[in-house]
Amino acid sequence: MNPTALIADDEPLLRELLEARLAKAWPELQIVAQARNGRQAVELFEQLKPQICFLDVHMPGLSGVEAARVIGRRAHLVFVTAYDQYALEAFEHGVLDYLVKPVTPARLAETVQRLKDRMQAAQPAVHSEALLQQLAQHLQRAQGAPAATERLRWVRASVGQGLVMIPVETIDYLKADSKYTLVAYRDSNDPSGKPAEALIRLPLKELLAQLDPAEFAQVHRSVVVNLRAIRRVQRNDNETADIELKSRSERLPVSRSYLHLFREM
């Protein structure tokens, strides 16, 4: 049986170029799918189960690093990047393979030989959560994420006829709601910190970019949760999960794409 692979890159011409060069370097390799972003890469991987995934590091929505976390050890991973710093770290650790754009035939031949060697030796696919975390942090910095001192501290929201300043640490979760974002927080003026809500016009994506990733995590395309507000994560049969909160009765969905955040459970 011929080996199978998936190529994920948001640039169609680069996907085609890589497939063409792979056809010359490894004629037996069957490219079973091309994905235009990380989310589609995960969906196609789940459908087709290719043995190798070539993942562009920079992709909209779900990055190549995040897609790799979902795929885990179920495929041999090769990162494709225009940025040497990611590639060099991966290479120095010696646990993940990489290609730097534009992919040259000579470098591709080296990667192909390593993949053949691993597959012939029946070596398991490599997966390093620590390295993926490092790569994700580099990616975040490269995308211009604000430094810690520049992160959001307050959210301004209109409640009735007034304006409230909501401290970020009191937010339990954020939920995209049509043109608005629902801010679910605990009222810092109430001794019991009773649950409260407010709607703001700032998009969820824009808010997320200003939050500390060590404190807040996106768990669904429309939901960001404060990790300190989580009481329990209940895994479901369909590779999703529900989050129970410490101070609220509602449950928040965790989609398959973000389940890796709770892999240890």
Side-chain angles (χ1 to χ4, degrees):
M1 181 181 293
N2 289 338
T4 56
L6 173 151
I7 296 173
D9 196 311
D10 61 331
E11 299 178 61
L13 290 178
L14 294 181
R15 293 199 305 267
E16 298 296 336
L17 177 62
L18 180 55
E19 181 167 5
R21 293 195 165 165
L22 279 167
K24 293 182 179 179
W26 197 352
E28 300 81 15
L29 183 66
Q30 182 183 359
I31 306 300
V32 295
Q34 291 189 11
R36 61 181 180 276
N37 54 52
R39 192 179 308 282
Q40 188 181 40
V42 171
E43 291 173 355
L44 290 170
F45 173 80
E46 299 294 348
Q47 293 174 23
L48 303 169
K49 299 290 190 295
Q51 296 162 285
I52 304 165
C53 291
F54 294 90
L55 301 173
D56 179 26
V57 171
H58 283 270
M59 288 189 287
L62 205 64
S63 73
V65 176
E66 292 168 320
R69 283 174 157 164
V70 177
I71 294 169
R73 297 179 186 273
R74 294 181 291 169
H76 296 278
L77 303 176
V78 180
F79 286 107
V80 185
T81 174
Y83 298 88
D84 273 340
Q85 68 266 32
Y86 307 133
L88 288 173
E89 277 209 31
F91 182 70
E92 286 169 358
H93 285 75
V95 295
L96 294 173
D97 212 333
Y98 72 96
L99 293 166
V100 177
K101 297 178 182 179
V103 177
T104 65
R107 181 67 183 82
L108 182 59
E110 294 175 10
T111 294
V112 166
Q113 190 57 54
R114 275 197 290 271
L115 288 168
K116 285 181 176 180
D117 292 343
R118 287 180 194 159
M119 296 175 75
Q120 288 173 359
Q123 293 178 347
V126 173
H127 179 87
S128 169
E129 182 58 34
L131 180 55
L132 290 177
Q133 179 65 27
Q134 290 179 27
L135 291 172
Q137 290 172 350
H138 281 297
L139 180 61
Q140 195 170 42
R141 285 198 289 272
Q143 289 176 328
T149 54
E150 301 170 336
R151 290 191 180 117
L152 195 65
R153 296 178 59 197
W154 303 85
V155 171
R156 299 178 184 179
S158 296
V159 176
Q161 298 298 314
L163 178 73
V164 295
M165 299 292 288
I166 304 172
V168 165
E169 61 270 21
T170 68
I171 294 174
D172 288 327
Y173 67 89
L174 302 163
K175 187 173 184 180
D177 182 10
S178 185
K179 297 179 181 178
Y180 301 91
T181 296
L182 172 72
V183 182
Y185 64 102
R186 284 160 284 108
D187 188 350
S188 57
N189 295 316
D190 184 275
S192 62
K194 69 177 181 181
E197 290 85 29
L199 288 175
I200 60 174
R201 290 182 179 274
L202 208 58
L204 182 64
K205 182 178 180 181
E206 194 171 328
L207 276 169
L208 178 61
Q210 300 177 65
L211 295 170
D212 185 348
E215 301 286 339
F216 288 85
Q218 186 165 17
V219 296
H220 186 276
R221 63 181 172 79
S222 63
V223 179
V224 170
V225 67
N226 184 338
L227 297 173
R228 296 182 187 278
I230 295 176
R231 185 177 75 85
R232 182 169 179 265
V233 179
Q234 177 65 49
R235 192 162 185 163
N236 302 322
D237 293 336
N238 57 352
E239 291 297 311
T240 63
D242 291 322
I243 289 174
E244 297 177 11
L245 300 167
K246 293 176 182 175
S247 58
R248 292 173 175 275
S249 59
E250 62 265 44
R251 294 163 72 101
L252 304 177
V254 180
S255 62
R256 181 184 302 175
S257 300
Y258 299 98
L259 198 59
H260 65 273
L261 296 173
F262 309 103
R263 180 172 291 155
E264 60 271 52
M265 68 181 179

